[in-house]
């Protein structure tokens, strides 16, 4: 085997070890999430059977007893918890009180729209934030840099729902350029390209609303780290080699400046998912956030529990991807397991 | 075409400012082909800013600006040029090709996220239209010239996997890869331990003899000056206070600051028969 392929083999083995270790940790984290959420919901005052029948105008004692038996609500707490953990690891989160359908089916139906919204918003925030940050750091004294600073301040000061409503008013209501709600128009055909284009048009406003908030933060972080990196010795070396300024900035400086942005984006996945709930509500986007919001109003605990567990899985997977991206960017991390 | 009687580099009345602060004040000196010129002085005297100005890096890296003066480069078989007036795209062709620089801090001078090979190959290919394989061959050859053991393996490593001395060797390999006319070495041994310092100075001297490059050695260490320099420029408070051949500066220093610098070199046995260290003869600020 050649030296370079054995080197590549070692790197792949290291990455494999990292993934295996993180997945091992993930099982314990998911177990902790299940135990905590199950316990908190059961510690909350009120009888689940009464809550379940409340929206239908209440029920007799006999009907309540039947419901308790159907959902094993009279079993001891530890027995209920044990059964729930076993079912959850089989991806069975029970049936929704309201929809009378398996929670896993309901959540999976809404998972794709949420992933589409959150990943688009995050991509816009990272790419847009870094470009603005780099631009601003290269010309820190220029008026355009100060304008960007003010815009960034505005971006993370404005509440997400307000930004969403303002964008709706401007681009949907007044200008009529973009649709105001949902993920697809009722009249759209089944053709792949027609449907995809329709989804993109529906996605622009909610993704911009969610992304703008984080773009503002990432532009500030990129600006600060870029200013530091541009003064570093290795950037001076790159210039002394006679490299074009474009290469110095976008290759030598950026790869170092982007490391903190990736780290912070990884930490913020959970916050972005939470922000998604507000955006999905404002834009009537058929994602997990809206399902969670409606389940909360209806006290549909099986859905809430399932959502929490799946959100935890999304956050764990996103953090794993962040960790791998981090290792890809920075070789000093790559060789640590 | 250049006149071989002219110095390779001629700096005339160079002044560099950072805002209102004058970091280099009316500095003039010359550098001849193949010689080693030492620029000495205390921290903050303007040595490094002078060196960065020669490549016009002071504007890009530290927002300084050359307010007056000339930096005349007279490369063999090429038209003489004033670097102080040259546009950025032409300067880029000179940096790394005709004038190279190595820095004080080898631990931070290489980009931590790129391999040694990637950084060396990039330095070569940014000036030479050659294949990546040929550039790797050239890089490997340079790694051998700077005496890095097991160069094939070291070439694939990242800077954090090499020692300080090894990184400075990589910097030297990168700087000399294209046989520049002038190598500027900005305190190349300050951050290294004593045995490695001697090796690096010896290496620069050997490579200089092989390539015929002129060297501008920036240092505050008169021991280094005595070891490598042909001529010396002494700077203090942004100005040149004295310059001349190394023998003249060591045998017959004229300026009180040069005398103080030479007196500061520790001598073996100088403390014999003395109970306590003697007060160091400080130079007056306006000297």
């Amino acid at each position: 085997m050649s030296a370079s392929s054995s080197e590549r083999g070692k790197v792949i083995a290291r990455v494999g070890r990292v993934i295996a270790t993180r997945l091992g940790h993930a099982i314990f984290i998911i177990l902790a999430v299940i135990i905590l959420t199950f316990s908190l919901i059961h510690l909350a005052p009120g009888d689940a059977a009464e809550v379940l029948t409340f929206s239908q105008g209440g029920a007799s004692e006999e009907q309540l007893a039947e419901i308790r038996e159907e959902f094993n609500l009279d079993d001891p707490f530890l027995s209920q918890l044990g059964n729930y953990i076993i079912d959850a690891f089989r991806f069975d989160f029970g049936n929704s009180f309201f929809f009378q359908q398996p929670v896993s089916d309901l959540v999976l139906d809404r998972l794709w729209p949420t992933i589409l919204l959150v990943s688009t918003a995050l991509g816009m925030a990272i790419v847009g934030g870094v470009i603005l940050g780099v631009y601003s750091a290269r010309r820190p004294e220029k008026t355009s840099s100060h304008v960007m600073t003010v815009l960034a301040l505005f971006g993370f000061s404005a509440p997400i729902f307000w930004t969403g409503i303002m964008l709706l008013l401007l681009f949907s209501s007044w200008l009529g350029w973009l649709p105001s709600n949902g993920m697809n128009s009722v009249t759209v055909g089944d053709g792949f390209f027609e449907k995809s284009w329709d989804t993109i048009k529906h996605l622009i406003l909610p993704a911009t609303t969610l992304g703008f908030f984080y773009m503002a933060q990432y532009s500030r972080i990129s600006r600060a780290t870029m200013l530091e990196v541009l003064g570093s010795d290795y950037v001076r070396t790159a210039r002394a080699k006679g490299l074009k300024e474009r290469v110095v900035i976008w290759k030598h400086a950026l790869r170092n400046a982007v490391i903190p942005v990736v780290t912070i984006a990884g930490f913020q996945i959970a916050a972005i998912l939470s922000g998604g709930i507000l955006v999905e509500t404002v834009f009537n986007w058929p994602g997990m956030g809206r399902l969670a919001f409606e389940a909360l109003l209806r006290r549909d605990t099986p859905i809430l529990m399932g959502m929490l567990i799946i959100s935890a899985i999304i956050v764990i997977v996103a953090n794993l991807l962040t960790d791998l991206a981090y290792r890809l960017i920075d070789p000093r991390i790559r060789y640590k397991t | 075409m250049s006149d071989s009687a002219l110095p390779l580099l001629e700096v005339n009345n160079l002044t560099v400012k950072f805002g209102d602060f004058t970091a280099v004040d009316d500095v003039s000196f010359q550098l001849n082909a193949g010689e080693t010129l030492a620029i000495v002085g205390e921290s903050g005297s303007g040595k490094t800013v002078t060196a960065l100005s020669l490549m016009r890096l002071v504007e890009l890296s530290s927002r300084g600006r050359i307010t007056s003066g000339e930096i005349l480069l007279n490369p063999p078989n090429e038209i003489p040029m004033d670097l102080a007036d040259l546009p950025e795209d032409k300067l880029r062709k000179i940096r790394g090709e005709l004038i190279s620089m190595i820095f004080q801090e080898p631990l931070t001078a290489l980009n931590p996220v790129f391999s040694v090979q990637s950084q060396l190959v990039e330095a070569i290919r940014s000036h030479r239209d050659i294949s990546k394989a040929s550039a790797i061959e050239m890089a490997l050859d340079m790694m051998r010239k700077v005496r890095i053991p097991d160069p094939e393996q070291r070439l694939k490593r990242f800077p954090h996997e090499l020692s300080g001395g090894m990184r400075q060797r990589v910097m030297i390999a990168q700087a000399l890869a294209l046989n520049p006319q002038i190598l500027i070495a900005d305190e190349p041994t300050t951050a290294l331990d004593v045995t490695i310092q001697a090796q690096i100075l010896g290496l620069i001297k050997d490579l200089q003899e092989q390539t015929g490059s002129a060297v501008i050695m920036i240092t505050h260490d008169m021991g280094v000056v005595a070891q490598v320099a042909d001529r010396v420029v002494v700077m203090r408070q942004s100005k040149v206070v004295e310059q001349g051949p190394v023998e003249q500066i060591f045998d017959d220093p004229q300026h009180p600051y040069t005398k103080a610098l030479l007196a500061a070199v520790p001598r073996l046995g100088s403390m014999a028969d003395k109970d306590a260290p003697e007060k160091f003869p400080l130079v007056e600020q306006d000297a």
Side-chain angles (χ1 to χ4, degrees):
Chain A
M1 199 193 286
S2 72
S4 73
S5 63
S6 86
E7 195 67 25
R8 204 172 300 130
K10 280 182 198 168
V11 172
I12 292 168
R14 276 193 202 103
V15 171
R17 272 204 299 278
V18 170
I19 294 173
T21 313
R22 296 290 188 281
L23 289 179
H25 294 167
I27 292 171
F28 289 101
I29 294 168
I30 291 166
L31 194 62
V33 169
I34 294 173
I35 294 171
L36 268 173
T37 49
F38 193 89
S39 307
L40 282 172
I41 284 174
H42 279 74
L43 282 172
D47 178 357
E50 282 177 19
V51 170
L52 191 58
T53 53
F54 184 75
S55 58
Q56 274 89 41
S60 65
E61 272 307 314
E62 290 76 28
Q63 286 168 321
L64 287 174
E66 270 175 38
I67 290 168
R68 284 189 197 111
E69 199 181 331
E70 186 189 337
F71 291 103
N72 299 321
L73 295 176
D74 282 334
D75 286 0
F77 171 73
L78 285 179
S79 161
Q80 286 186 53
L81 176 62
N83 288 334
Y84 190 83
I85 290 171
I86 292 165
D87 289 344
F89 276 96
R90 290 190 200 127
F91 216 67
D92 174 6
F93 305 108
N95 282 355
S96 155
F97 292 160
F98 181 78
F99 293 103
Q100 296 295 320
Q101 281 178 42
V103 168
S104 49
D105 292 352
L106 286 167
V107 174
L108 284 179
D109 278 351
R110 285 159 174 83
L111 188 61
W112 160 240
T114 291
I115 288 177
L116 181 67
L117 173 65
V118 168
S119 55
T120 310
L122 190 62
M124 283 169 70
I126 292 176
V127 174
V130 167
I131 290 173
L132 290 177
V134 170
Y135 181 82
S136 177
R138 285 191 68 190
R139 298 164 184 84
E141 305 306 327
K142 290 265 170 87
T143 312
S144 53
S145 175
H146 295 305
V147 169
M148 278 179 210
T149 304
V150 173
L151 266 178
L153 188 67
F154 175 74
F156 56 77
S157 309
I160 284 183
F161 67 87
W162 182 85
T163 311
I165 292 167
M166 290 302 116
L167 288 177
L168 262 180
L169 276 174
L170 181 63
F171 292 103
S172 189
S173 183
W174 293 343
L175 298 171
W177 291 352
L178 293 165
S180 62
N181 71 81
M183 191 171 163
N184 283 112
S185 306
V186 182
T187 52
V188 73
D190 282 336
F192 176 76
F193 290 108
E194 190 187 349
K195 202 167 179 184
S196 300
W197 177 238
D198 187 58
T199 306
I200 290 169
K201 282 199 290 187
H202 281 81
L203 181 63
I204 292 172
L205 284 183
T208 308
T209 304
L210 188 55
F212 184 55
F213 180 77
Y214 293 97
M215 190 192 293
Q217 290 187 16
Y218 299 157
S219 76
R220 295 302 293 159
I221 297 163
S222 313
R223 182 182 188 274
T225 50
M226 198 69 185
L227 277 172
E228 193 186 321
V229 167
L230 285 177
S232 67
D233 290 353
Y234 53 81
V235 165
R236 189 179 54 183
T237 304
R239 285 174 173 146
K241 287 199 283 194
L243 301 182
K244 288 180 178 148
E245 194 61 9
R246 172 170 49 85
V247 179
V248 173
I249 301 291
W250 295 104
K251 182 181 172 190
H252 283 265
L254 182 64
R255 185 140 164 203
N256 286 279
V258 88
I259 293 169
V261 176
V262 172
T263 312
I264 288 170
F267 285 139
Q268 286 185 329
I269 298 284
I272 297 173
L273 272 174
S274 314
I277 295 180
L278 285 171
V279 174
E280 286 177 7
T281 309
V282 170
F283 290 94
N284 211 16
W285 186 261
M288 281 170 54
R290 225 183 83 205
L291 181 69
F293 181 69
E294 287 161 2
L296 197 66
L297 293 179
R298 295 183 189 121
R299 298 187 71 173
D300 198 340
T301 46
I303 288 187
L304 288 175
M305 291 271 304
M307 299 275 300
L308 281 167
I309 294 162
I310 287 170
S311 302
I313 294 171
I314 293 174
V315 170
I316 288 164
V317 171
N319 275 316
L320 177 63
L321 291 176
T322 309
D323 203 17
L324 293 177
Y326 200 40
R327 280 160 198 273
L328 194 72
I329 296 168
D330 191 347
R332 288 164 296 183
I333 311 290
R334 195 178 303 165
Y335 294 98
K336 290 177 188 166
T337 46
Chain B
M1 287 293 152
S2 81
D3 180 347
S4 59
L6 286 173
L8 178 60
L9 183 77
E10 195 176 345
V11 176
N12 296 322
N13 311 105
L14 180 70
T15 300
V16 181
K17 290 191 174 187
F18 292 86
D20 292 332
F21 173 72
T22 305
V24 173
D25 191 359
D26 202 27
V27 163
S28 300
F29 60 86
Q30 294 181 350
L31 174 74
N32 297 313
E35 79 169 349
T36 300
L37 174 76
I39 302 181
V40 296
E42 62 204 1
S43 298
S45 60
K47 310 182 296 285
T48 298
V49 175
T50 303
L52 290 172
S53 305
L54 300 182
M55 294 176 85
R56 293 268 304 276
L57 287 172
V58 74
E59 296 152 62
L60 291 168
S61 299
S62 20
R63 309 264 169 213
R65 70 203 152 85
I66 296 172
T67 55
S68 63
E70 295 175 319
I71 305 165
L72 301 173
L73 181 67
N74 184 36
N77 308 321
E78 283 185 50
I79 299 163
M81 54 195 111
D82 181 2
L83 302 183
D85 260 354
L86 221 54
E88 185 58 29
D89 58 332
K90 289 195 174 152
L91 276 169
R92 266 203 309 274
K93 291 183 180 123
I94 286 163
R95 293 182 193 130
E97 172 92 61
L98 290 177
I99 308 178
S100 275
M101 190 162 179
I102 53 177
F103 300 100
Q104 181 176 346
E105 211 23 280
L107 299 180
T108 52
L110 290 165
N111 197 326
V113 299
F114 294 108
S115 69
V116 169
Q117 175 174 299
S118 153
Q119 299 188 57
L120 282 177
V121 165
E122 182 185 47
I124 296 165
R125 292 187 81 196
S126 62
H127 293 282
R128 298 271 197 279
D129 189 16
I130 57 171
S131 69
K132 192 180 172 190
S134 308
I136 292 173
E137 241 349 278
M138 275 180 80
L140 205 52
D141 189 42
M142 277 317 295
M143 294 281 277
R144 288 191 194 104
K145 279 189 179 156
V146 297
R147 297 170 208 151
I148 289 180
D150 198 2
E152 290 85 357
Q153 279 303 310
R154 293 297 196 300
L155 201 58
K156 292 187 172 61
R157 298 272 166 244
F158 287 90
H160 71 276
E161 297 174 293
L162 305 178
S163 66
M166 201 97 80
R167 287 187 220 186
Q168 196 60 297
R169 284 170 195 268
V170 169
M171 279 299 293
I172 295 170
Q174 183 171 266
L176 294 178
L178 300 172
N179 283 332
Q181 297 290 316
I182 301 170
L183 172 70
I184 303 170
D186 184 5
E187 306 203 30
T189 56
T190 305
L192 304 173
D193 67 55
V194 182
T195 50
I196 308 293
Q197 279 184 18
Q199 289 174 17
I200 294 291
L201 289 175
L203 178 67
I204 293 173
K205 197 79 189 156
D206 287 353
L207 291 171
Q208 185 186 12
E209 279 165 15
Q210 286 172 33
T211 60
S213 301
V215 172
I216 297 178
M217 179 74 69
I218 292 164
T219 182
H220 55 255
D221 185 341
M222 294 306 275
V224 170
V225 176
Q227 202 178 336
V228 301
D230 298 312
R231 287 192 312 111
V232 183
V233 171
V234 184
M235 284 188 75
R236 182 156 192 262
Q237 293 175 351
S238 314
K239 292 178 192 290
V240 171
V241 293
E242 187 169 0
Q243 58 179 306
V246 68
E247 299 83 5
Q248 181 192 311
I249 295 288
F250 274 75
D251 293 344
D252 187 21
Q254 298 298 307
H255 195 276
Y257 177 65
T258 315
K259 289 177 186 168
L261 266 182
L262 289 166
V265 178
R267 285 178 176 80
L268 200 62
S270 61
M271 285 292 294
D273 306 325
K274 287 177 186 166
D275 295 333
E278 287 174 353
K279 193 179 175 192
F280 189 75
L282 292 173
V283 185
E284 292 302 319
Q285 287 298 303
D286 57 352

